[in-house]
Amino acid sequence: AAAEDEVRRRAEEEEAERTAVYPVRTLAYIKGGDGSFELTMGGKASGKVYVCSVDSAAPLSHAPTHAAPLTVLRNSVSGKLVVSAAEDGTVRVANAGSRGYWQGEVHDGMYGAVSGAAVSRDDRYLLSAGRDGSFFVQRLGPTLSGQPASSSSSDSPEAEAEEAADAPDTTPRAALEPTPVCADITSPTHYSIEEAKQKTEEDNLRAAAEEKKLGVRGYLEKLRSEFVALVAENNARPAAERLPREAFEIDPGLRVMIESETQSKMDRARKELAWESERIAVGLAKLQAWFLDPVEVERVVMRSFKAGRQGVACTTFRVARLSEDLRGEISKAHAAAEREQWALSHSKGGVGGLSRLSRRGSNGGANGGAGAAGAQSPGAAGSAAHANKQELRRLQRKVREEEWAAFNATKPDDKYENPDDVAAIEQAQNSMGDFKLKTDATYVVPEEQRVNTDRKRQQMVLLEESVHNIKMDFNERFLALRDVRAAVLREVSAGATRIAAITDELADGETPEGMEALAVLVEPFQDTPMADEYPTENRGKVSDEQLAEFDAEREAAEAEKAGGLGGFGGGGKKKGGAGDKPPEGGGGNAAAAAAAAAEAAKQPTKSAAAAAHALANKLQEDAVAKAAAMDPRVAAAAAHPPTRLEQSELTASALRLRHERARLMSRRREMVSTFDLSLREMRREKATLEANMKAADMKRLVMYQELVLLKQFEKRENVLKGKLDGKMAEKADIAVKTDECTTRLDAKVEEVDRLTEKKRVVMRELDAMVDDSNQFREPLLKIFLKKIKRLKKKAEDDLDEDEEDEDEDEDFEDEEEDEEVCPAGCDQAMYDKVLALREKRLDQEDVIGEFQKLIDAFKKERDALGKKGKTTETSLKAINSEIQEFQKEKQHGLNQIDVTVSLRMHQMEYLYEQKLPVDLAEGLVFSRQALARLHERIDELVGEKAALRVQQRDLRREHVQLQRTRKERQGKISELETRAVEVQMLKFGQLIDLEALDRAGTVSKGAEELRESIKLQETQFAAEIKQWNAKVAGGQAELIRLTAENTACLNAVADLTKTQRDLEAQLTSTQAQLFVDPGAARRKEVAERDHLVQLVNAQAREIDTLKGEINVLSRKGGQVFS
């Protein structure tokens, strides 16, 4: 087995050696002509320089170099030094033929692989460049450079020699290939035979063409000079002798012919270059679409008018255009934020909806009962109005008991919490104003501050929008200020022209005032906009000077490529370049003044006064020359002195011009200083915004880290959110069902009340038909209230057999079912009407029973929904607790992300012994606004505490007053209870159970209905009695009238009768006197006396009878009203 492993290991090593890759890094021939060269490779062969020969299959020698693969290996120009560099950023300089070297880690070892390294021609400086864009220049020490040591090189890196140890030979073997031996061409300017021949022919042709061009140019220059001389001679002649310009055209058609030929050549060239132009245009459009179209605002530079140390410059933010996808994300983020705000505002008002519905459902029965009692209260009040004292007292006790029951029902239990107090406590906790650290173990993340991946992504998108808006706002104000600069430049240029014209007109350039005015024009002033100030406006514009410069550069490049004659030797100013462009602004003397001012400003030996003086002389000479050129009479008029009127006009004009010049000078300085000040302010603002943008970039990085972390929690959060949404949907469904059930229950209760009223109407119809005076009322009432077996009505679509439903009456239980017959002597029609009314009553009771069953079912459903709602509330609390723990865990993970905050030293207030501690782990980054808010909150809490103390003191006083009132009321109640017991013991000898008396004195339901019926009948009878009393009163009036008439007649008859009786008495007395019977007279008196006694006794009996009836009528309920 060991032998097999050894064989396998050797085979693997041979296979690895066979398949090993050795990429070639550098290859350099060694001077001397012996065919040897230096080779460096990567892979396992990296770190060594191999000296190989074309005549040998194996390397001749090797030397260790860098640990990483080499990127540069070259000799210095003098051949004394060898420079090498590697991918790890190290650079080595060694003496040729020596083992000593200097090596240093010059560039970044991670990203700074050396791309180039070399030594200067004098071997004193080392130059190296890295792939990360870095470039370093170092001075070599005297050991390597061969120069004597000096004080100036004391701070340079001194090379230290290191001896390289021999390493085991891991040299790869090169394949043996036959290579012809030939001499190398080392001259860089040497051409091959064919190239030399072609180059010679091309040089000869170019020289001949140039010679011909020079001849043609010379001839043209000669013609041009002759033409200019002729034109000058013509202009020098008087106007009458001058020839027109058209007379100098020898051949009028020559210009047209040359222009047509030129136009045809241009058209032909345009057609020839159409494809190339289109190709370049398409390429330019692609480049513009790729590089420029995504940029909304490019970098624009704006400089102040003052130059030098007083000058400032400010730039815009280079802003990329928001993509369509990002704009869509921003719109979605705004919509989501609005939805969250709307949901948050409505959730505060909708909390507790299920509990309110549950409370409403639980109180539905009580409200229904109260409604029923309210429906019966008018009847009860009406019956109580005619009841006796006992009934009234019973009703009063019942009302008091109901009031006490309602009052005791409002008494909260021990676990009851006042909703107002709970809301106040929650409001106080939410608006406490303290600062809660998110790193606290007890910190609870508010619902509105909870974040997930979608919300974090929205925050990142909104941050991008905010950054873009801030940059665009600054850029808009920047471009507006640039427009202001252009307007100021135009006004200043016009003012400079006017100042120069005024100075020219006043001819006071040598006076102090004029020199001051000219000194204003000499002040450094940047009036020519540069290319970076209008990059987008000047990008598509190309001037002739730029085209000429481009052609010159292209020709120089072609010449250098063709002949190798270019390089550092060429130079000289280019004709037609940008440097020959005359300064802008003004014309005539103003342009000359500006040019003179520029020339004066360039002379360092002249002062401002000397420059102003030179400018004044220049202006005066130009004015004189201009005036003489325009009209010779001006010079003649200048020789005569002005009159007094002309002198006064000239003086007034000079004063006006001086005032105007002074105003223009102050206006110029004011505008320039104001603009420069505005630019400085904008520069400061941009510095602040750049700091904020850097903070936004760091915040964006933090948000990205938070987003990555939130994605790890997203799965669990979605599960918990699904549970919460399910329970919330179930809770809402229960609330809706409870509301529907309560609504239907209220509707059924109202329907039962309506049916009960119909039943009472049937009872009133029976009372109206069979009153109390009817002798058959008792049997008919018994028949009416009798409960009989009835068949249910069959539905229209029910084909089954009818089912019987037997109900027992509560008032008439176990009643025998006798055959019903009409009572003897009762009217059959009345009996039939009573049976019909009974059917109507039974129909109403059946319907009421069905509705009562539905009411009971609804109550059971409502109770079941209430229990289910409580279970859902419990589940919601558990899920919310789980979500809260999950949010704590997520917040703990977010707290682990490092957040960079830039602070200044004056913002550090965490000091220990007046020093900044080394460990800032216990420090807290706090904003000044939050700190000021906490200080304000302390003052607010002091005020709230004082107010609460005052409120507590008032409540304590109120509590003491209520306790005192309670003791007084309890003493009064005890006194009344003792008095009631004493009265009961005094009157009855024992305590009376009022409830037992109420139960004993309580009438049955039938009696109550009969009482109501009697009340209605009494009302009807009272109305009839009132009518009959009116009729009786009318009859009595008629009777009185007739009685008066009858009395008058009777009085007449009585008078006549009296007269008759007197006459008869006289006759009788006359007879009596004749015959008298004493016994008969005595008997007559006795009879009259007996008759009077009987009459008195009858009247006494009648009086006793009336008193008994009065007592009977006055007695009701066992009490007599006195």
Side-chain angles (χ1 to χ4, degrees), residues 720-897:
L720 293 176
K721 185 178 180 182
K723 292 181 180 179
L724 181 63
D725 293 341
K727 290 299 178 182
M728 291 298 294
E730 184 178 356
K731 178 180 176 180
D733 185 48
I734 291 172
V736 173
K737 289 182 179 179
T738 303
D739 194 8
E740 294 177 355
C741 182
T742 304
T743 304
R744 289 185 291 176
L745 180 61
D746 295 340
K748 297 300 179 184
V749 170
E750 292 177 359
E751 188 69 22
V752 169
D753 294 340
R754 188 175 61 81
L755 294 173
T756 304
E757 185 63 27
K758 290 183 179 180
K759 182 179 177 182
R760 291 172 185 166
V761 172
V762 174
M763 290 295 299
R764 286 195 292 271
E765 291 179 1
L766 177 65
D767 293 338
M769 186 175 59
V770 183
D771 55 0
D772 294 339
S773 62
N774 196 331
Q775 59 181 349
F776 299 104
R777 177 177 175 79
E778 194 66 27
L780 290 176
L781 183 62
K782 185 177 180 181
I783 292 172
F784 177 77
L785 298 176
K786 184 178 180 180
K787 196 73 172 179
I788 62 175
K789 294 181 180 179
R790 304 176 72 242
L791 297 178
K792 286 187 176 181
K793 295 181 180 180
K794 181 170 63 176
E796 295 180 359
D797 56 347
D798 190 6
L799 300 178
D800 297 338
E801 296 181 356
D802 297 336
E803 298 179 357
E804 297 182 357
D805 187 11
E806 181 180 357
D807 296 329
E808 297 181 356
D809 189 83
E810 296 180 357
D811 298 331
F812 303 95
E813 296 180 355
D814 301 333
E815 186 176 344
E816 297 180 359
E817 297 181 0
D818 300 333
E819 184 178 357
E820 293 182 354
V821 294
C822 181
C826 181
D827 187 8
Q828 185 65 31
M830 183 180 293
Y831 177 72
D832 294 339
K833 290 182 179 179
V834 170
L835 292 180
L837 291 174
R838 185 179 68 179
E839 288 296 327
K840 290 176 66 177
R841 180 183 65 81
L842 292 175
D843 291 340
Q844 297 295 336
E845 289 181 352
D846 292 342
V847 175
I848 290 173
E850 294 295 332
F851 276 101
Q852 195 63 39
K853 291 179 181 178
L854 292 176
I855 289 173
D856 296 338
F858 287 150
K859 288 182 179 180
K860 291 181 180 179
E861 183 180 358
R862 185 185 62 192
D863 296 339
L865 288 174
K867 293 180 181 179
K868 189 175 180 181
K870 291 181 180 179
T871 305
T872 305
E873 287 287 348
T874 305
S875 301
L876 276 175
K877 290 181 180 179
I879 293 174
N880 286 328
S881 300
E882 187 175 358
I883 290 176
Q884 186 173 348
E885 293 298 327
F886 172 73
Q887 293 294 334
K888 286 184 179 180
E889 181 182 354
K890 186 164 64 174
Q891 185 63 43
H892 178 70
L894 294 175
N895 292 337
Q896 302 302 318
I897 298 176

Side-chain angles (χ1 to χ4, degrees), residues 86-325:
E87 292 181 353
D88 57 357
T90 59
V91 180
R92 175 183 291 189
V93 181
N95 289 319
S98 175
R99 300 177 65 88
Y101 62 88
W102 172 87
Q103 180 174 336
E105 297 178 357
V106 180
H107 296 270
D108 186 9
M110 183 67 68
Y111 305 102
V114 181
S115 58
V119 179
S120 60
R121 294 179 179 273
D122 56 357
D123 295 340
R124 296 182 61 184
Y125 296 96
L126 172 64
L127 296 86
S128 61
R131 294 179 182 175
D132 57 353
S134 60
F135 179 77
F136 294 97
V137 178
Q138 298 183 5
R139 182 184 292 110
L140 297 177
T143 306
L144 294 175
S145 62
Q147 301 292 333
S150 61
S151 59
S152 61
S153 61
S154 58
D155 55 347
S156 61
E158 189 68 29
E160 296 180 0
E162 298 181 2
E163 296 294 333
D166 294 339
D169 187 9
T170 58
T171 305
R173 295 294 185 265
L176 185 59
E177 297 179 359
T179 304
V181 178
C182 61
D184 294 335
I185 299 175
T186 59
S187 176
T189 60
H190 192 276
Y191 291 105
S192 63
I193 299 175
E194 184 63 26
E195 289 177 349
K197 182 179 179 182
Q198 295 177 359
K199 185 62 178 174
T200 302
E201 293 178 356
E202 184 178 357
D203 293 342
N204 294 334
L205 291 175
R206 182 179 291 107
E210 290 294 332
E211 185 178 358
K212 187 175 181 180
K213 287 179 182 180
L214 290 176
V216 174
R217 286 170 184 161
Y219 181 70
L220 291 176
E221 187 66 26
K222 180 180 178 182
L223 292 177
R224 184 179 293 110
S225 60
E226 292 178 357
F227 179 77
V228 170
L230 290 174
V231 171
E233 184 180 357
N234 182 58
N235 293 333
R237 290 179 178 275
E241 298 179 2
R242 292 178 187 172
L243 295 176
R245 186 61 179 243
E246 294 80 6
F248 289 92
E249 295 183 2
I250 301 174
D251 188 358
L254 181 61
R255 179 184 296 274
V256 178
M257 182 182 66
I258 293 174
E259 290 179 354
S260 62
E261 290 179 358
T262 304
Q263 185 64 32
S264 61
K265 291 179 181 179
M266 292 174 61
D267 295 339
R268 184 172 60 255
R270 188 178 295 108
K271 292 179 181 179
E272 291 176 355
L273 298 175
W275 184 87
E276 185 68 18
S277 176
E278 183 68 19
R279 183 183 67 82
I280 294 175
V282 171
L284 180 61
K286 289 183 178 180
L287 292 175
Q288 185 174 1
W290 182 260
F291 292 102
L292 298 181
D293 290 349
V295 180
E296 189 168 0
V297 177
E298 296 187 15
R299 182 179 181 273
V300 180
V301 181
M302 183 165 53
R303 297 173 177 84
S304 62
F305 288 113
K306 294 182 180 180
R309 300 182 61 181
Q310 296 181 356
V312 294
C314 184
T315 61
T316 59
F317 287 102
R318 191 175 188 273
V319 182
R321 195 182 305 275
L322 296 179
S323 62
E324 294 297 331
D325 297 337

Side-chain angles (χ1 to χ4, degrees), residues 329-402:
E329 292 291 335
I330 291 172
S331 302
K332 293 179 181 178
H334 283 294
E338 292 177 357
R339 289 195 301 269
E340 291 180 0
Q341 186 67 22
W342 182 87
L344 183 61
S345 61
H346 285 70
S347 63
K348 293 181 179 179
V351 173
L354 180 61
S355 60
R356 289 199 298 271
L357 291 174
S358 302
R359 289 196 295 271
R360 177 183 175 185
S362 62
N363 296 331
N367 295 335
Q376 297 177 1
S377 60
S383 62
H386 300 282
N388 53 20
K389 291 183 178 181
Q390 182 179 1
E391 184 68 17
L392 290 175
R393 290 175 181 173
R394 185 181 67 81
L395 291 177
Q396 290 176 358
R397 285 195 296 271
K398 185 176 181 181
V399 171
R400 283 196 298 270
E401 289 176 358
E402 291 177 356

Side-chain angles (χ1 to χ4, degrees), residues 94 113 138 167 180 189 207 246 267 308 329 340 431 464 486 555 567-568 576 619 622 653 660 769 831 847 944 954 1122:
Q138 298 183 5
T189 60
E246 294 80 6
D267 295 339
E329 292 291 335
E340 291 180 0
S431 60
E464 290 289 342
E555 291 175 0
F568 295 101
L619 288 173
D622 292 342
S653 176
E660 182 182 359
M769 186 175 59
Y831 177 72
V847 175
E944 292 178 3
D954 296 341
S1122 57

Side-chain angles (χ1 to χ4, degrees), residues 832-1033:
D832 294 339
K833 290 182 179 179
V834 170
L835 292 180
L837 291 174
R838 185 179 68 179
E839 288 296 327
K840 290 176 66 177
R841 180 183 65 81
L842 292 175
D843 291 340
Q844 297 295 336
E845 289 181 352
D846 292 342
V847 175
I848 290 173
E850 294 295 332
F851 276 101
Q852 195 63 39
K853 291 179 181 178
L854 292 176
I855 289 173
D856 296 338
F858 287 150
K859 288 182 179 180
K860 291 181 180 179
E861 183 180 358
R862 185 185 62 192
D863 296 339
L865 288 174
K867 293 180 181 179
K868 189 175 180 181
K870 291 181 180 179
T871 305
T872 305
E873 287 287 348
T874 305
S875 301
L876 276 175
K877 290 181 180 179
I879 293 174
N880 286 328
S881 300
E882 187 175 358
I883 290 176
Q884 186 173 348
E885 293 298 327
F886 172 73
Q887 293 294 334
K888 286 184 179 180
E889 181 182 354
K890 186 164 64 174
Q891 185 63 43
H892 178 70
L894 294 175
N895 292 337
Q896 302 302 318
I897 298 176
D898 294 333
V899 180
T900 303
V901 180
S902 301
L903 297 176
R904 297 182 179 179
M905 291 305 298
H906 71 276
Q907 294 176 320
M908 303 294 294
E909 297 183 3
Y910 177 45
L911 303 177
Y912 178 73
E913 294 181 355
Q914 301 299 324
K915 296 180 181 179
L916 186 67
V918 179
D919 187 10
L920 298 177
E922 299 297 329
L924 178 65
V925 180
F926 215 76
S927 63
R928 293 187 180 276
Q929 292 81 0
L931 186 60
R933 180 70 186 100
L934 289 180
H935 287 301
E936 293 176 0
R937 184 57 181 165
I938 291 174
D939 299 336
E940 292 176 0
L941 289 176
V942 171
E944 292 178 3
K945 188 176 181 181
L948 290 175
R949 284 179 178 175
V950 173
Q951 185 179 2
Q952 183 185 13
R953 184 168 61 253
D954 296 341
L955 292 175
R956 187 174 298 169
R957 292 176 182 174
E958 185 179 357
H959 178 71
V960 172
Q961 183 65 27
L962 291 175
Q963 290 290 344
R964 187 181 299 109
T965 305
R966 180 182 178 185
K967 289 181 181 180
E968 293 176 357
R969 297 289 176 85
Q970 286 180 351
K972 189 175 182 180
I973 291 172
S974 301
E975 182 181 353
L976 293 175
E977 288 179 352
T978 304
R979 183 180 175 185
V981 171
E982 292 177 355
V983 170
Q984 289 180 7
M985 294 299 295
L986 182 62
K987 293 182 67 175
F988 308 105
Q990 62 179 358
L991 297 177
I992 305 301
D993 190 358
L994 298 179
E995 296 180 359
L997 288 177
D998 290 339
R999 288 194 298 270
T1002 302
V1003 296
S1004 63
K1005 184 177 181 182
E1008 184 68 24
E1009 293 177 353
L1010 289 175
R1011 187 178 291 108
E1012 294 180 1
S1013 173
I1014 290 170
K1015 176 198 170 186
L1016 295 176
Q1017 292 182 2
E1018 286 178 353
T1019 304
Q1020 296 176 359
F1021 293 159
E1024 293 178 1
I1025 288 171
K1026 186 176 180 181
Q1027 296 176 0
W1028 284 110
N1029 287 334
K1031 292 180 180 181
V1032 168

